[in-house]
Amino acid sequence: MSGQYIVSHDVGTGGTKAVLVDAAGRTRHSCFEGYEVHYPRPHWAEQDPEDWWRAVTTSTRRLLEESGTAPGDVLCVTFSTQLLGVVPVDGQGQPLRPAIIWLDARAGRQAQQIMRKVLGPRVFAQIVGAEATGKDVLPKLLWLKENEERVFSRTEKFLDVNGYLLYRCTEDLLCDWSAASATGLFDLKKKRWSDFLMRFFGLPREKFPELRRSTDEAGRLSKRSAEKLGLLEGTPVICGAGDVLAAAVGSGAVGEGEGHIYLGTSGWVGVVMERAYTGKSGIATIQSADPSKCFLLAEMETAGACLQWIADQFYRREQEDPEVANVFRLMDEAVLGIEPGSDGLIFTPWMYGERCPVSDIYVRSSFINLSADHRREHMLRAVYEGVAYNLRWMLDLLRDKFRYDQDTLRAIGGGARGDPWLQIISDVTGKRVERVAAPQEAGAVGAALIAAVGLGIYDGFPALKDVVQVDTIFEPDGAK
């Protein structure tokens, strides 16, 4: 496979990262193309699906040009995409309205209706693992049915971000298992749409697309899409997975009971499990990219976003200083000057509500025990530690509710690039933390490795454990 590559796209909230990955899982080149989130009303968050496609095509062409890669050297195209999006399309695959993305919380009333239909929030949480919120897919679908009846009736299929991009590549309307499992309408045991749940909530089964595994070939690049991408017509397109599941593969924690932490704008702890557990305490069970596995997900809404906030509020002058190359590196150095515990200052990292360990879209952050003796550096370290303690809380729930208690976690995401934060997390959780090489590329690399399994380059997901390289190991210091 020498000289042949996988073009993998990590399609996030703020833009698309295109990554050229070789068959050994090494990143050869990457580039980024941004786009906007639109907030037309309070609690609404939308994007134009055409912006995703423009970013994918533009970044693919740049990737090939900047790396000097010939189109004939591309083995396939694949995707890692944001979950919990809703894209209603007509029979020609044209979006009927802007996409309702994961940040959107408009469907709060529909979430309450869903829970009342199953005897209230407490019973619903016991069945699903967490109360339904306005950010979930099922309430968003019911919102469309109630508020945009014409759009709902004209919808041929409800797609997510990945499904829409697969359609633009292949002209087939599809949904991968991982994305389907995040809708609340997927049968994890039978690996198919739940006809019972669709009837129960009044959703027509025919409006949901055909299902494929993450490793399956979605189709081949059409002539029109190949021209836009700068690739060859007929290049295979592998389904890929939702961002959480692709990142899990990119962490290398792919074996039974193995886990990883992600530090990006949001954060999570994820564990691969064969058994399809019933969710508890805000911890959800969804489909792994590995067709034979499920995935326990404990997600916090804001992790790196908390650091970005304190950078914008307290380190604005440093960000504007041309001599400061990286404000986050400066912040890492400042944290080392403060003793563990931040002199009694506590921060709760719930800036936009929370999913786990507390499922509440209205809960907010706070600094507790703030005194006149504290400086901005104390507040900074409190933020680092607050995220770490939230992760520990989630790990405690995974241990108590699901018997997960391994000593080692892989670390991925842009926030994992800083040594001080990972050391704090190791100290707070008591876990050995292994940072993978290029942690910020884990989503795109994971999608590429999923595709490599689908192409037969690797004999199943267990073989990927040795493919993903560890960069640095952090051992817990019990004295801190």
Side-chain angles (χ1 to χ4, degrees), residues 26 37 154 157 162 201 258 265 270 345 381 443 470-471 477:
R26 295 184 294 261
V37 179
R154 290 183 59 205
K157 302 292 180 187
N162 197 28
F201 291 111
E258 293 181 347
T265 301
L345 184 61
R381 184 168 181 110
V470 170
D471 174 75
D477 184 345

Side-chain angles (χ1 to χ4, degrees), residues 31-49:
C31 60
F32 181 82
E33 197 71 27
Y35 39 71
E36 293 185 6
V37 179
H38 305 286
Y39 302 96
R41 297 185 188 180
H43 306 300
W44 288 30
E46 299 180 340
Q47 288 182 318
D48 184 348

Side-chain angles (χ1 to χ4, degrees), residues 284-301:
T285 303
I286 56 179
Q287 174 63 47
S288 170
D290 181 344
S292 68
K293 302 285 187 181
C294 292
F295 189 77
L296 283 174
L297 175 64
E299 181 189 5
M300 58 188 296
E301 293 284 65

Side-chain angles (χ1 to χ4, degrees), residues 107 133 181 226 272 276 301 327 337 351 358 370 375 386 393 419 430 464 476:
T133 77
S181 73
V272 174
E301 293 284 65
V327 70
M351 304 199 80
V358 178
L370 181 65
R375 295 177 282 114
W393 192 352
D419 289 6
L464 302 179

Side-chain angles (χ1 to χ4, degrees), residues 441-457:
E441 311 283 8
V445 170
L449 292 175
I450 293 167
V453 172
L455 293 172
I457 296 172

